[in-house]
Each structure stands twice: as structure tokens, then as C-alpha cells.
Amino acid sequence: ILNVEQSPQSLHVQEGDSTNFTCSFPSSNFYALHWYRWETAKSPEALFVMTLNGDEKKKGRISATLNTKEGYSYLYIKGSQPEDSATYLCAFLYGQNFVFGPGTRLSVLP
Amino acid sequence: KAGVTQTPRYLIKTRGQQVTLSCSPISGHRSVSWYQQTPGQGLQFLFEYFSETQRNKGNFPGRFSGRQFSNSRSEMNVSTLELGDSALYLCASSSGGGTRSVEAFFGQGTRLTVV
């Protein structure tokens, strides 16, 4: 069974704090890793698509890194805002199928 | 550009019945994937259709089936519903023949409750 793990499971931070979470995946047969943000009552929204070892992607205050050799990706949020409150999912592309992690639920307190 | 549309948004069915869910992808997208999310579980992959052909299938029983039409719209059918089928069903569309570098766009889901 393919395991994609995310930690922590949940996180509470104060507005303005920076934070990061981890996605761990099998290091063999890597194709791609996707990060999504899923706000309550909305659709999951793609943040990053990462395909190469060493990839670093950035979108505003959010960035992500990828290490395919050791099987992990970090998502960083700088200066968290209440609107960043959501569940952050990573999805490992295994063959043609996505295997999703359980997500990290972030709550940013004003 | 219209997003991915799923209908209906909410559905209540009785055990033993069957149900059909619909997904209209973003115009021009040829790939549609279906996922199930149950409480406490991450998104579980059901199947993917590309150009009217099922390209990939997850580990779900044969009661779960789907199809894709020539306009890329897709339907998912669950027969002989069980209580455990109560879940949020999401579909996602993408343009790609390969999904490595192409992001997927999700609909808002259909919340199915089986009583």
C-alpha cells in the first residue's frame, strides 16, 4: 500500500507567524507531487505542481520545496493571514493515479 | 471560463438504491477523475477517464462505475448503495494526456448521504 503522510495533522498559529508543513512520499518511481489548498465549503485549489528534485516554487507568501531522493516536500507560509486557514493537501502521482495525503489543517488566529 | 460543475450538490438515498452523479469539466479538458472522501479519510481515487476511455481505476468494488461522454462530461454511478458509501464525491478535470505537470481543477463535490 502506497503511503503519503503529512505532518502535522493540524496547526494553530497567530496571524503574522510563519509556518511550514511536511509531505512524505515514497522516494522511488517519482513522477510528480501536487500541493492543494482546500478551504471549507470550497473546492480544492491547486497551489503547486512539482516534478523535479530540488524544485522550489513560490506563489506570494507561500512556497514549496521538493526532495525526491529522500521523499519529502515542504510547504512554507510566510506571515500567515486568517485567509490562509484551510487544509493543505499533497498528492503524489503514482503511475497515472494520485495518492493524497490526509492533509494538514491550518488555523490562523487573528 | 466556467469551472468544474458537479450536480447535484447534495443527495440523500436509501440503502440498496443506486445513484448517478454528474461532472462537467472545464471546457477543453479531456481528463476527468473522481475521488471519494469519507470522514477521517483522505481523498481516495476512484477512476479517471480520458477521451471517453477509463484510463485508471482505484481499489473500489464493481458497484462503482463511470463513463465519459464525447463532450468530456462524466457520470459516476454507484449501485446497491451501502451506508459506508456516504461521502463527499469530488471530480477533477485537467487538460493533460499526462498529469505530471498539469494541475487539476476540482468541482465543489456532491455530498451523498445513504440512510
mmCIF file of all heavy atoms in Angstrom, chain A residues 60-96:
data_model
loop_
_atom_site.group_PDB
_atom_site.id
_atom_site.type_symbol
_atom_site.label_atom_id
_atom_site.label_comp_id
_atom_site.label_asym_id
_atom_site.label_seq_id
_atom_site.Cartn_x
_atom_site.Cartn_y
_atom_site.Cartn_z
ATOM 1 N N GLY A 60 3.277 34.179 -4.065
ATOM 2 C CA GLY A 60 3.014 35.147 -2.975
ATOM 3 C C GLY A 60 3.784 34.776 -1.727
ATOM 4 O O GLY A 60 5.008 34.616 -1.756
ATOM 5 N N ARG A 61 3.058 34.572 -0.635
ATOM 6 C CA ARG A 61 3.699 34.247 0.643
ATOM 7 C C ARG A 61 3.907 32.745 0.827
ATOM 8 O O ARG A 61 4.434 32.320 1.853
ATOM 9 C CB ARG A 61 2.827 34.793 1.787
ATOM 10 C CG ARG A 61 2.732 36.314 1.830
ATOM 11 C CD ARG A 61 1.821 36.802 2.960
ATOM 12 N NE ARG A 61 0.422 36.463 2.723
ATOM 13 C CZ ARG A 61 -0.179 35.428 3.251
ATOM 14 N NH1 ARG A 61 0.464 34.611 4.071
ATOM 15 N NH2 ARG A 61 -1.452 35.181 3.003
ATOM 16 N N ILE A 62 3.468 31.968 -0.123
ATOM 17 C CA ILE A 62 3.545 30.519 0.002
ATOM 18 C C ILE A 62 4.628 29.982 -0.928
ATOM 19 O O ILE A 62 4.723 30.418 -2.087
ATOM 20 C CB ILE A 62 2.197 29.857 -0.349
ATOM 21 C CG1 ILE A 62 1.082 30.438 0.509
ATOM 22 C CG2 ILE A 62 2.271 28.344 -0.150
ATOM 23 C CD1 ILE A 62 -0.296 29.904 0.181
ATOM 24 N N SER A 63 5.427 29.080 -0.402
ATOM 25 C CA SER A 63 6.458 28.455 -1.233
ATOM 26 C C SER A 63 6.556 26.979 -0.888
ATOM 27 O O SER A 63 6.063 26.542 0.145
ATOM 28 C CB SER A 63 7.805 29.155 -1.036
ATOM 29 O OG SER A 63 8.207 29.073 0.317
ATOM 30 N N ALA A 64 7.184 26.228 -1.782
ATOM 31 C CA ALA A 64 7.322 24.790 -1.568
ATOM 32 C C ALA A 64 8.659 24.325 -2.118
ATOM 33 O O ALA A 64 9.173 24.889 -3.086
ATOM 34 C CB ALA A 64 6.176 24.030 -2.231
ATOM 35 N N THR A 65 9.201 23.307 -1.473
ATOM 36 C CA THR A 65 10.435 22.684 -1.947
ATOM 37 C C THR A 65 10.210 21.191 -2.105
ATOM 38 O O THR A 65 9.280 20.628 -1.524
ATOM 39 C CB THR A 65 11.593 22.923 -0.959
ATOM 40 O OG1 THR A 65 11.235 22.343 0.315
ATOM 41 C CG2 THR A 65 11.856 24.408 -0.775
ATOM 42 N N LEU A 66 11.064 20.570 -2.877
ATOM 43 C CA LEU A 66 10.901 19.158 -3.180
ATOM 44 C C LEU A 66 12.241 18.435 -3.100
ATOM 45 O O LEU A 66 13.233 18.900 -3.679
ATOM 46 C CB LEU A 66 10.325 18.990 -4.585
ATOM 47 C CG LEU A 66 10.116 17.555 -5.081
ATOM 48 C CD1 LEU A 66 9.002 16.885 -4.294
ATOM 49 C CD2 LEU A 66 9.801 17.541 -6.574
ATOM 50 N N ASN A 67 12.247 17.316 -2.384
ATOM 51 C CA ASN A 67 13.419 16.443 -2.342
ATOM 52 C C ASN A 67 12.948 15.041 -2.693
ATOM 53 O O ASN A 67 12.378 14.331 -1.861
ATOM 54 C CB ASN A 67 14.050 16.475 -0.943
ATOM 55 C CG ASN A 67 15.324 15.645 -0.860
ATOM 56 O OD1 ASN A 67 15.431 14.588 -1.484
ATOM 57 N ND2 ASN A 67 16.288 16.117 -0.105
ATOM 58 N N THR A 68 13.161 14.651 -3.944
ATOM 59 C CA THR A 68 12.652 13.350 -4.386
ATOM 60 C C THR A 68 13.556 12.214 -3.920
ATOM 61 O O THR A 68 13.096 11.078 -3.800
ATOM 62 C CB THR A 68 12.539 13.293 -5.917
ATOM 63 O OG1 THR A 68 13.845 13.500 -6.485
ATOM 64 C CG2 THR A 68 11.595 14.354 -6.430
ATOM 65 N N LYS A 69 14.815 12.512 -3.653
ATOM 66 C CA LYS A 69 15.740 11.438 -3.250
ATOM 67 C C LYS A 69 15.389 10.920 -1.856
ATOM 68 O O LYS A 69 15.496 9.720 -1.579
ATOM 69 C CB LYS A 69 17.172 11.950 -3.275
ATOM 70 C CG LYS A 69 17.683 12.279 -4.671
ATOM 71 C CD LYS A 69 19.166 12.618 -4.653
ATOM 72 C CE LYS A 69 19.652 13.209 -5.952
ATOM 73 N NZ LYS A 69 19.288 12.438 -7.134
ATOM 74 N N GLU A 70 14.984 11.837 -0.987
ATOM 75 C CA GLU A 70 14.619 11.422 0.365
ATOM 76 C C GLU A 70 13.105 11.358 0.572
ATOM 77 O O GLU A 70 12.651 10.946 1.632
ATOM 78 C CB GLU A 70 15.259 12.357 1.381
ATOM 79 C CG GLU A 70 16.786 12.275 1.345
ATOM 80 C CD GLU A 70 17.448 13.159 2.396
ATOM 81 O OE1 GLU A 70 16.880 13.297 3.494
ATOM 82 O OE2 GLU A 70 18.514 13.716 2.095
ATOM 83 N N GLY A 71 12.358 11.755 -0.410
ATOM 84 C CA GLY A 71 10.914 11.575 -0.376
ATOM 85 C C GLY A 71 10.170 12.547 0.520
ATOM 86 O O GLY A 71 9.351 12.119 1.351
ATOM 87 N N TYR A 72 10.432 13.842 0.373
ATOM 88 C CA TYR A 72 9.645 14.800 1.138
ATOM 89 C C TYR A 72 9.531 16.120 0.387
ATOM 90 O O TYR A 72 10.345 16.463 -0.474
ATOM 91 C CB TYR A 72 10.198 15.036 2.547
ATOM 92 C CG TYR A 72 11.561 15.663 2.601
ATOM 93 C CD1 TYR A 72 11.713 17.046 2.518
ATOM 94 C CD2 TYR A 72 12.711 14.888 2.752
ATOM 95 C CE1 TYR A 72 12.965 17.628 2.566
ATOM 96 C CE2 TYR A 72 13.964 15.469 2.804
ATOM 97 C CZ TYR A 72 14.087 16.832 2.704
ATOM 98 O OH TYR A 72 15.325 17.406 2.750
ATOM 99 N N SER A 73 8.481 16.843 0.754
ATOM 100 C CA SER A 73 8.256 18.190 0.243
ATOM 101 C C SER A 73 7.811 19.042 1.412
ATOM 102 O O SER A 73 7.053 18.581 2.272
ATOM 103 C CB SER A 73 7.186 18.182 -0.849
ATOM 104 O OG SER A 73 6.887 19.493 -1.276
ATOM 105 N N TYR A 74 8.301 20.275 1.452
ATOM 106 C CA TYR A 74 7.896 21.211 2.490
ATOM 107 C C TYR A 74 7.043 22.309 1.856
ATOM 108 O O TYR A 74 7.340 22.778 0.766
ATOM 109 C CB TYR A 74 9.103 21.878 3.143
ATOM 110 C CG TYR A 74 9.974 20.983 3.973
ATOM 111 C CD1 TYR A 74 11.357 21.121 3.949
ATOM 112 C CD2 TYR A 74 9.432 20.004 4.798
ATOM 113 C CE1 TYR A 74 12.176 20.318 4.720
ATOM 114 C CE2 TYR A 74 10.244 19.184 5.566
ATOM 115 C CZ TYR A 74 11.619 19.338 5.523
ATOM 116 O OH TYR A 74 12.433 18.540 6.283
ATOM 117 N N LEU A 75 6.022 22.717 2.581
ATOM 118 C CA LEU A 75 5.231 23.885 2.191
ATOM 119 C C LEU A 75 5.430 24.932 3.277
ATOM 120 O O LEU A 75 5.283 24.627 4.462
ATOM 121 C CB LEU A 75 3.742 23.524 2.071
ATOM 122 C CG LEU A 75 2.875 24.613 1.487
ATOM 123 C CD1 LEU A 75 3.022 24.631 -0.033
ATOM 124 C CD2 LEU A 75 1.405 24.427 1.838
ATOM 125 N N TYR A 76 5.787 26.136 2.860
ATOM 126 C CA TYR A 76 6.043 27.228 3.803
ATOM 127 C C TYR A 76 5.022 28.329 3.581
ATOM 128 O O TYR A 76 4.711 28.672 2.437
ATOM 129 C CB TYR A 76 7.429 27.842 3.571
ATOM 130 C CG TYR A 76 8.588 26.902 3.702
ATOM 131 C CD1 TYR A 76 9.072 26.220 2.592
ATOM 132 C CD2 TYR A 76 9.234 26.726 4.922
ATOM 133 C CE1 TYR A 76 10.155 25.358 2.693
ATOM 134 C CE2 TYR A 76 10.328 25.876 5.034
ATOM 135 C CZ TYR A 76 10.775 25.189 3.917
ATOM 136 O OH TYR A 76 11.845 24.349 4.023
ATOM 137 N N ILE A 77 4.543 28.907 4.669
ATOM 138 C CA ILE A 77 3.712 30.098 4.574
ATOM 139 C C ILE A 77 4.367 31.180 5.428
ATOM 140 O O ILE A 77 4.573 30.989 6.635
ATOM 141 C CB ILE A 77 2.266 29.846 5.048
ATOM 142 C CG1 ILE A 77 1.633 28.728 4.225
ATOM 143 C CG2 ILE A 77 1.440 31.133 4.900
ATOM 144 C CD1 ILE A 77 0.212 28.388 4.637
ATOM 145 N N LYS A 78 4.677 32.277 4.785
ATOM 146 C CA LYS A 78 5.335 33.379 5.489
ATOM 147 C C LYS A 78 4.291 34.398 5.913
ATOM 148 O O LYS A 78 3.423 34.786 5.113
ATOM 149 C CB LYS A 78 6.344 34.023 4.537
ATOM 150 C CG LYS A 78 7.201 35.089 5.149
ATOM 151 C CD LYS A 78 8.205 35.590 4.124
ATOM 152 C CE LYS A 78 9.010 36.751 4.694
ATOM 153 N NZ LYS A 78 9.949 37.306 3.709
ATOM 154 N N GLY A 79 4.355 34.847 7.169
ATOM 155 C CA GLY A 79 3.408 35.872 7.615
ATOM 156 C C GLY A 79 1.956 35.441 7.452
ATOM 157 O O GLY A 79 1.184 36.074 6.745
ATOM 158 N N SER A 80 1.578 34.342 8.111
ATOM 159 C CA SER A 80 0.237 33.760 7.946
ATOM 160 C C SER A 80 -0.865 34.789 8.187
ATOM 161 O O SER A 80 -0.765 35.631 9.079
ATOM 162 C CB SER A 80 0.054 32.600 8.924
ATOM 163 O OG SER A 80 1.046 31.618 8.735
ATOM 164 N N GLN A 81 -1.902 34.689 7.383
ATOM 165 C CA GLN A 81 -3.086 35.530 7.499
ATOM 166 C C GLN A 81 -4.297 34.646 7.756
ATOM 167 O O GLN A 81 -4.296 33.466 7.382
ATOM 168 C CB GLN A 81 -3.282 36.325 6.211
ATOM 169 C CG GLN A 81 -2.138 37.259 5.865
ATOM 170 C CD GLN A 81 -1.960 38.332 6.902
ATOM 171 O OE1 GLN A 81 -2.893 39.043 7.268
ATOM 172 N NE2 GLN A 81 -0.731 38.461 7.420
ATOM 173 N N PRO A 82 -5.345 35.197 8.361
ATOM 174 C CA PRO A 82 -6.547 34.375 8.614
ATOM 175 C C PRO A 82 -7.079 33.693 7.347
ATOM 176 O O PRO A 82 -7.581 32.572 7.430
ATOM 177 C CB PRO A 82 -7.545 35.389 9.178
ATOM 178 C CG PRO A 82 -6.685 36.403 9.863
ATOM 179 C CD PRO A 82 -5.458 36.526 8.985
ATOM 180 N N GLU A 83 -6.946 34.344 6.206
ATOM 181 C CA GLU A 83 -7.445 33.739 4.964
ATOM 182 C C GLU A 83 -6.606 32.534 4.510
ATOM 183 O O GLU A 83 -6.991 31.833 3.569
ATOM 184 C CB GLU A 83 -7.522 34.764 3.827
ATOM 185 C CG GLU A 83 -6.206 35.441 3.494
ATOM 186 C CD GLU A 83 -6.042 36.792 4.189
ATOM 187 O OE1 GLU A 83 -6.586 36.958 5.308
ATOM 188 O OE2 GLU A 83 -5.370 37.656 3.600
ATOM 189 N N ASP A 84 -5.483 32.302 5.169
ATOM 190 C CA ASP A 84 -4.685 31.102 4.860
ATOM 191 C C ASP A 84 -5.258 29.872 5.561
ATOM 192 O O ASP A 84 -4.809 28.747 5.300
ATOM 193 C CB ASP A 84 -3.228 31.284 5.310
ATOM 194 C CG ASP A 84 -2.510 32.382 4.554
ATOM 195 O OD1 ASP A 84 -2.848 32.604 3.359
ATOM 196 O OD2 ASP A 84 -1.623 33.025 5.140
ATOM 197 N N SER A 85 -6.222 30.072 6.445
ATOM 198 C CA SER A 85 -6.825 28.945 7.168
ATOM 199 C C SER A 85 -7.482 28.004 6.171
ATOM 200 O O SER A 85 -8.369 28.404 5.401
ATOM 201 C CB SER A 85 -7.862 29.448 8.174
ATOM 202 O OG SER A 85 -7.252 30.252 9.165
ATOM 203 N N ALA A 86 -7.030 26.766 6.165
ATOM 204 C CA ALA A 86 -7.502 25.769 5.200
ATOM 205 C C ALA A 86 -6.824 24.456 5.514
ATOM 206 O O ALA A 86 -5.945 24.387 6.383
ATOM 207 C CB ALA A 86 -7.161 26.199 3.769
ATOM 208 N N THR A 87 -7.217 23.433 4.783
ATOM 209 C CA THR A 87 -6.481 22.171 4.825
ATOM 210 C C THR A 87 -5.567 22.122 3.618
ATOM 211 O O THR A 87 -5.997 22.403 2.494
ATOM 212 C CB THR A 87 -7.451 20.973 4.813
ATOM 213 O OG1 THR A 87 -8.245 21.005 5.996
ATOM 214 C CG2 THR A 87 -6.690 19.657 4.758
ATOM 215 N N TYR A 88 -4.323 21.799 3.853
ATOM 216 C CA TYR A 88 -3.333 21.741 2.779
ATOM 217 C C TYR A 88 -3.037 20.270 2.482
ATOM 218 O O TYR A 88 -2.629 19.516 3.366
ATOM 219 C CB TYR A 88 -2.067 22.507 3.180
ATOM 220 C CG TYR A 88 -2.334 23.997 3.244
ATOM 221 C CD1 TYR A 88 -2.916 24.571 4.367
ATOM 222 C CD2 TYR A 88 -2.065 24.816 2.153
ATOM 223 C CE1 TYR A 88 -3.213 25.931 4.411
ATOM 224 C CE2 TYR A 88 -2.340 26.180 2.182
ATOM 225 C CZ TYR A 88 -2.919 26.715 3.318
ATOM 226 O OH TYR A 88 -3.215 28.067 3.344
ATOM 227 N N LEU A 89 -3.276 19.911 1.244
ATOM 228 C CA LEU A 89 -3.125 18.518 0.825
ATOM 229 C C LEU A 89 -1.956 18.383 -0.132
ATOM 230 O O LEU A 89 -1.763 19.250 -0.991
ATOM 231 C CB LEU A 89 -4.387 18.058 0.071
ATOM 232 C CG LEU A 89 -5.703 18.017 0.817
ATOM 233 C CD1 LEU A 89 -6.851 17.806 -0.161
ATOM 234 C CD2 LEU A 89 -5.697 16.901 1.835
ATOM 235 N N CYS A 90 -1.227 17.294 0.016
ATOM 236 C CA CYS A 90 -0.272 16.966 -1.036
ATOM 237 C C CYS A 90 -0.774 15.706 -1.729
ATOM 238 O O CYS A 90 -1.471 14.877 -1.125
ATOM 239 C CB CYS A 90 1.140 16.782 -0.504
ATOM 240 S SG CYS A 90 1.381 15.377 0.600
ATOM 241 N N ALA A 91 -0.456 15.578 -2.989
ATOM 242 C CA ALA A 91 -0.885 14.432 -3.791
ATOM 243 C C ALA A 91 0.311 13.931 -4.580
ATOM 244 O O ALA A 91 0.921 14.678 -5.349
ATOM 245 C CB ALA A 91 -2.021 14.833 -4.722
ATOM 246 N N PHE A 92 0.613 12.660 -4.369
ATOM 247 C CA PHE A 92 1.751 12.023 -5.026
ATOM 248 C C PHE A 92 1.230 11.297 -6.253
ATOM 249 O O PHE A 92 0.284 10.513 -6.168
ATOM 250 C CB PHE A 92 2.389 11.047 -4.028
ATOM 251 C CG PHE A 92 3.498 10.221 -4.574
ATOM 252 C CD1 PHE A 92 4.735 10.770 -4.841
ATOM 253 C CD2 PHE A 92 3.321 8.860 -4.803
ATOM 254 C CE1 PHE A 92 5.774 9.993 -5.325
ATOM 255 C CE2 PHE A 92 4.346 8.073 -5.288
ATOM 256 C CZ PHE A 92 5.580 8.647 -5.545
ATOM 257 N N LEU A 93 1.827 11.575 -7.382
ATOM 258 C CA LEU A 93 1.396 10.933 -8.614
ATOM 259 C C LEU A 93 2.097 9.596 -8.751
ATOM 260 O O LEU A 93 3.316 9.539 -8.944
ATOM 261 C CB LEU A 93 1.704 11.823 -9.815
ATOM 262 C CG LEU A 93 1.192 11.313 -11.159
ATOM 263 C CD1 LEU A 93 -0.317 11.140 -11.151
ATOM 264 C CD2 LEU A 93 1.617 12.260 -12.271
ATOM 265 N N TYR A 94 1.324 8.523 -8.624
ATOM 266 C CA TYR A 94 1.861 7.164 -8.707
ATOM 267 C C TYR A 94 1.299 6.530 -9.975
ATOM 268 O O TYR A 94 0.117 6.212 -10.038
ATOM 269 C CB TYR A 94 1.444 6.382 -7.455
ATOM 270 C CG TYR A 94 1.966 4.973 -7.416
ATOM 271 C CD1 TYR A 94 3.307 4.720 -7.224
ATOM 272 C CD2 TYR A 94 1.099 3.884 -7.571
ATOM 273 C CE1 TYR A 94 3.790 3.426 -7.187
ATOM 274 C CE2 TYR A 94 1.571 2.594 -7.532
ATOM 275 C CZ TYR A 94 2.920 2.373 -7.336
ATOM 276 O OH TYR A 94 3.403 1.083 -7.302
ATOM 277 N N GLY A 95 2.155 6.390 -10.965
ATOM 278 C CA GLY A 95 1.646 5.965 -12.269
ATOM 279 C C GLY A 95 0.781 7.077 -12.805
ATOM 280 O O GLY A 95 1.228 8.209 -12.958
ATOM 281 N N GLN A 96 -0.452 6.778 -13.063
ATOM 282 C CA GLN A 96 -1.357 7.829 -13.527
ATOM 283 C C GLN A 96 -2.339 8.244 -12.437
ATOM 284 O O GLN A 96 -3.227 9.041 -12.680
ATOM 285 C CB GLN A 96 -2.146 7.334 -14.748
ATOM 286 C CG GLN A 96 -1.305 7.175 -15.992
ATOM 287 C CD GLN A 96 -0.997 8.506 -16.661
ATOM 288 O OE1 GLN A 96 -1.504 9.548 -16.247
ATOM 289 N NE2 GLN A 96 -0.178 8.490 -17.678
#
